[in-house]
């Protein structure tokens, strides 16, 4: 199992949520706080048969 969380307060990154008006195309979330979470559960099974 793997789990990750990330939080960016408003106006803290150049290409994520900057309030600079000259970077409007690269900042779709201008000034907003961005949070993300990611969770992965991996189950693996194998079977071998020799003949």
């Amino acid at each position: 199992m793997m789990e990750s969380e990330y939080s960016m307060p408003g106006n803290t990154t150049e290409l994520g949520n900057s309030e600079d008006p000259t970077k409007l195309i690269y900042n779709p979330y201008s000034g907003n706080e961005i949070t993300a979470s990611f969770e992965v559960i991996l189950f693996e099974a194998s079977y071998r048969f020799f003949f």
Side-chain angles (χ1 to χ4, degrees):
M1 178 172 177
M2 181 177 74
E3 189 174 324
S4 176
E5 292 184 10
Y6 186 72
S7 176
M8 281 190 292
N11 200 24
T12 56
T13 65
E14 286 289 318
L15 299 175
N17 58 4
S18 175
E19 293 180 345
D20 186 2
T22 63
K23 298 178 181 168
L24 181 63
I25 293 175
Y26 300 109
N27 293 307
Y29 307 107
S30 179
N32 293 331
E33 182 175 334
I34 298 172
T35 58
S37 63
F38 184 74
E39 185 174 329
V40 175
I41 299 173
L42 176 67
F43 176 77
E44 182 178 344
S46 65
Y47 177 74
R48 291 179 129 186
F49 179 76
F50 295 102
F51 60 95

